[in-house]
Amino acid sequence: MGFFEHLLAGFASALSGYGILIMAAGVAWGIIGGAIPGISGAVAMALALPFTFALDAPTALVMLAGVWAGANYGGSIPAILMRMPGTPASAPCLLDGYVLAQQGRAAKALGVSLFCGTIGGLISIVVLIALVLPLGEIVVRFGSPEVFALALFGLTLIAGLSGPSFLKGIASGFFGLLLTTVGLDTLTGSMRFTFGSAELLTGIDTISVMIGLFAVSEMFFLIAHPTRKAGEVVVGRAGTAFPNFRELREVGRATFVGTIVGLVVGIMPGAGATASSFVAYNEARRWSKRPELFGKGSLEGVAAPETANNAVQGGDLVPTLALGIPGSNSAAIMLAALLLHGIMPGPFLLTKHPELVFTLFAGLIIVNLLMIPVGIVILRLCLLALKLDPPVLIASVLALIVIGTYAGDLFVLNPVQALIFGVVGYGMRIWGFSAAATVLGIVLGVLAESELRRSLIISHGEWSIFLTRPVCAVLLFLTLGVLLYPAFMTALRHWRARRVAAAPAAKS
Amino acid sequence: MPGEVPLSETAQPRRSLSYRELVLAAFLVVSGGVVVALSMEITPGVQTDPLGPRFFPIALGAGIALCGLLLAAVEILFRGEPSMAGPLSDASPEGEEDAGPFSPARFVGAIAATALYVAAFDALGYLLATPPYIAAILLIHGGTRTRALLITPFVVTIALYVTFRFGLLIPVPDGPLEGILPW
């Protein structure tokens, strides 16, 4: 089957049954979740996971893609109307969005955010498709050693970038990898860390762990650290007004800059929506014909970060689909949804399950198009959700988490695991560890171990197999570079400090 | 001079030793050690698998312990790592600066209530166990209006029950209500 046949089949699969309704529901939930501070895109996706139990894998994926896309826009709603970003990525949007709202142009700001975000999202999907297919053809030649090296590289890179401490990030990644070793060893049948419990033979429930680390820990944080944040004032009468032709020309450059920044940042594993929207805001100001308007109610100041944070989705999915390395929490949750449906994520996803990948491509295009109608309709519901008392929201989410994790395989141990990992996640957050790196370890763990062992079975125990294969050697070299980078930086910092301190002494 | 680092960036007074970081480092070392010790008890694999089922967990345990040792060394020698924070998408905790002070009572209360709820979930059934749990969380958090306190537990319970039981066709445990409920 050729590319277009695959894509058409993907559209047919995405739109089959209640596909369009499920995607619209995903987008709607994403927008609402993104709009509610405390429920970021990843948390909204984690909370949507239980609803995918009853769906087949392609439908589940496109629904989650809808949640992801929706959350990207949803975050800008409170940012523009209440000067309170719904997600970290929408923080730059408030700089001009809220000023516009104060000027009585809230509807226009929301319209620009929605429209430009959709444009950014759609372009990023086209680029995703253009990049993933050739990359997939390269990756298909990878053997076990290359796949192991790739998993190791992805893990090191993301663990190193995902938190304030490199060492804690790496330790968090190791912890995630370790969690995947619990249960029966697939190659030998040996029991590992089961402590005599039959329930642990099948291992730790990935979904419960993810929900625990992302969602439960967030709710516990909100309970343990109640905010005294004001910002309940919604400016004006909320609505959505799309940019006219003149305004479109005005924001064209910023939209272009935002798209490029979002794509580039998205493709780099470890950097994501938050980084992209800040970078895009700065770059748009630099390239703007009227930079003096930034911060004073510039439509470009809304367009650039919102386009970038939507364009990240396509960029993020490039390493996720082509190499099996999720570029962000949201991408990791997409891969976890695959695990839930018995599909092993990894570099061979495109070769082994092309129908799934093409359904996701089609679904991504559809959900981005759905953003506009759903975004307009759902705005009022978002405002109602924003008026919810925080304790009501927290209690509802926790109750949803318990029943949601139970629903996976009707097993009470799942909510127990979610609770335990909620506490663990809270501790990790407080003490500077990276829950994101742990999740990545969980997603990549099985692949990394099985490919490492398979490589050594093939080479009869010869470790040189990892150095005699060029791609593998390069990946391991890069991994080493990432690992040594902090030590190099520390040494450089101290050398510079000593040089600066020595300079006045030499002069005197 | 070009490339010269401003004095303010480099010649700052060294911060004092963080005992919290040292405790965390010790925790990592001990945890890594425990993982290695537990891994040694795993039954060895077959001869065709040169690594066997022990290797990966042992390597990870050692890795965690090594991270702990390096963390301690970096803290003692350099007073912490150079900042390399990279904003992994949606990972950076939002509103951290707006977060209120830590309330241990609320934290422990929320965990205890959730643990009790999960323990009662199967035995009492969803419909009986959920409203008291939601009410407990509302009370622990505080600041809920009386009307919301009375209405929310029942509205949320019923909404979730209907969604999962009739929407997603998932057999939610009914506990003692099984047989009484008409479905």
Side-chain angles (χ1 to χ4, degrees):
Chain A
M1 251 197 333
F3 168 76
F4 286 106
E5 285 89 346
H6 268 304
L7 195 60
L8 280 177
F11 273 104
S13 168
L15 291 168
S16 63
Y18 295 108
I20 192 98
L21 283 178
I22 289 167
M23 282 186 276
V27 173
W29 166 238
I31 294 175
I32 295 172
I36 300 172
I39 301 186
S40 63
V43 174
M45 286 176 76
L47 291 176
L49 277 173
F51 295 98
T52 67
F53 293 152
L55 306 174
D56 56 27
T59 317
L61 275 193
V62 292
M63 181 192 166
L64 289 173
V67 178
W68 187 356
N72 288 339
Y73 163 64
S76 70
I77 296 173
I80 290 168
L81 298 177
M82 303 161 86
R83 206 175 185 279
M84 186 171 70
T87 59
S90 54
C93 172
L94 69 78
L95 298 173
D96 284 279
Y98 187 68
V99 180
L100 282 165
Q102 283 177 316
Q103 293 167 358
R105 300 177 72 199
K108 189 62 81 179
L110 286 170
V112 166
S113 166
L114 184 55
F115 187 79
C116 295
T118 303
I119 298 284
L122 282 172
I123 295 174
S124 80
I125 304 312
V126 174
V127 176
L128 163 75
I129 296 171
L131 287 179
V132 161
L133 299 179
L135 267 175
E137 281 174 24
I138 297 170
V139 169
V140 78
R141 293 180 205 138
F142 280 17
S144 290
E146 285 82 10
V147 176
F148 165 70
L150 192 63
L152 198 64
F153 175 61
L155 187 80
T156 317
L157 190 65
I158 291 167
L161 286 170
S162 60
S165 161
F166 181 84
L167 288 169
K168 287 180 190 170
I170 295 288
S172 310
F174 283 161
F175 175 53
L177 289 171
L178 192 65
L179 289 174
T180 63
T181 63
V182 175
L184 268 182
D185 173 39
T186 45
L187 284 179
T188 59
S190 302
M191 280 182 278
R192 302 192 289 189
F193 307 117
T194 53
F195 307 105
S197 159
E199 285 83 6
L200 285 175
L201 283 177
T202 50
I204 301 266
D205 182 57
T206 311
I207 303 300
S208 302
V209 174
M210 274 194 178
I211 291 177
L213 287 174
F214 288 145
V216 179
S217 67
E218 182 68 39
M219 296 306 119
F220 283 166
F221 187 87
L222 293 174
I223 292 174
H225 302 263
T227 56
R228 296 188 196 89
K229 198 164 24 180
E232 270 77 38
V233 184
V234 176
V235 181
R237 217 171 145 262
T240 311
F242 288 105
N244 56 33
F245 184 68
R246 187 184 58 78
E247 288 159 341
L248 274 181
R249 282 190 59 187
E250 188 185 324
V251 299
R253 193 185 290 247
T255 306
F256 178 74
V257 169
T259 306
I260 300 294
V261 169
L263 272 168
V264 173
V265 174
I267 289 171
M268 289 158 44
T274 310
S276 78
S277 54
F278 277 98
V279 173
Y281 184 85
N282 279 329
E283 286 306 305
R285 182 167 50 186
R286 217 156 61 84
W287 289 87
S288 172
K289 285 179 181 169
R290 302 171 74 185
E292 71 282 359
L293 287 183
F294 275 68
K296 294 172 188 162
S298 163
L299 284 178
E300 288 181 279
V302 174
E306 285 307 297
T307 312
N309 101 46
N310 278 269
V312 159
Q313 190 182 26
D316 247 353
L317 285 170
V318 172
T320 309
L321 295 178
L323 309 174
I325 299 173
S328 66
N329 290 340
S330 305
I333 291 173
M334 297 279 279
L335 291 188
L338 289 178
L339 284 172
L340 184 74
H341 288 89
I343 296 166
M344 174 63 76
F348 304 116
L349 193 64
L350 185 63
T351 338
K352 287 184 183 167
H353 303 280
E355 71 296 337
L356 190 76
V357 175
F358 276 90
T359 304
L360 181 59
F361 288 159
L364 284 164
I365 293 170
I366 298 167
V367 295
N368 273 287
L369 290 172
L370 279 172
M371 286 266 289
I372 289 183
V374 177
I376 294 169
V377 173
I378 212 76
L379 184 63
R380 298 220 166 270
L381 203 57
C382 281
L383 297 179
L384 281 178
L386 279 166
K387 285 179 185 166
L388 269 179
D389 278 344
V392 170
L393 177 77
I394 293 165
S396 309
V397 168
L398 282 172
L400 167 65
I401 286 167
V402 172
I403 191 173
T405 46
Y406 171 83
D409 32 32
L410 309 179
F411 199 26
V412 174
L413 195 64
N414 291 352
V416 173
Q417 289 182 28
L419 171 64
I420 291 169
F421 282 93
V423 178
V424 171
Y426 174 84
M428 290 177 81
R429 178 171 175 173
I430 296 295
W431 292 312
F433 289 88
S434 166
T438 300
V439 166
L440 191 77
I442 294 168
V443 171
L444 293 177
V446 176
L447 189 76
E449 186 188 9
S450 62
E451 296 302 330
L452 169 68
R453 288 167 68 182
R454 209 161 280 146
S455 304
L456 288 165
I457 289 172
I458 294 166
S459 70
H460 303 289
E462 287 294 324
W463 286 85
S464 57
I465 190 172
F466 295 107
L467 298 175
T468 50
R469 299 168 72 116
V471 175
C472 182
V474 167
L475 285 168
L476 289 177
F477 178 73
L478 288 172
T479 306
L480 195 66
V482 174
L483 283 171
L484 293 178
Y485 177 71
F488 172 74
M489 287 304 291
T490 310
L492 187 70
R493 191 181 55 158
H494 283 271
W495 177 74
R496 281 180 172 174
R498 270 203 302 273
R499 205 179 62 157
V500 169
K507 276 180 190 169
S508 63
Chain B
M1 265 174 71
E4 191 88 76
V5 179
L7 195 65
S8 58
E9 278 183 24
T10 54
Q12 288 168 352
R14 290 180 100 193
R15 68 167 172 81
S16 57
L17 200 64
S18 166
Y19 289 102
R20 193 189 79 161
E21 290 299 298
L22 291 179
V23 170
L24 286 176
F27 172 74
L28 288 181
V29 173
V30 172
S31 305
V34 170
V35 169
V36 171
L38 289 172
S39 305
M40 300 300 280
E41 291 171 15
I42 296 170
T43 321
V46 287
Q47 281 190 339
T48 47
D49 178 11
L51 289 183
R54 284 177 178 175
F55 177 83
F56 205 60
I58 289 176
L60 292 172
I64 290 172
L66 184 65
C67 283
L69 286 174
L70 288 172
L71 196 65
V74 165
E75 183 58 35
I76 292 165
L77 296 175
F78 306 116
R79 301 289 190 269
E81 295 172 63
S83 177
M84 287 183 56
L88 180 61
S89 80
D90 358 322
S92 37
E94 66 191 84
E96 210 87 309
E97 68 280 4
D98 300 314
F102 175 59
S103 163
R106 285 172 186 229
F107 183 59
V108 173
I111 294 170
T114 310
L116 278 174
Y117 173 49
V118 172
F121 191 75
D122 231 5
L124 277 183
Y126 175 78
L127 284 172
L128 291 180
T130 308
Y133 170 66
I134 294 176
I137 293 292
L138 293 175
L139 285 171
I140 290 165
H141 189 287
T144 314
R145 285 173 226 136
T146 316
R147 201 176 63 171
L149 189 62
L150 292 173
I151 296 171
T152 309
F154 298 101
V155 171
V156 173
T157 302
I158 292 166
L160 289 176
Y161 186 80
V162 169
T163 306
F164 280 87
R165 179 94 200 205
F166 302 111
L168 299 173
L169 303 176
I170 285 164
V172 179
D174 286 328
L177 295 179
E178 200 172 336
I180 298 171
L181 295 169
W183 43 84

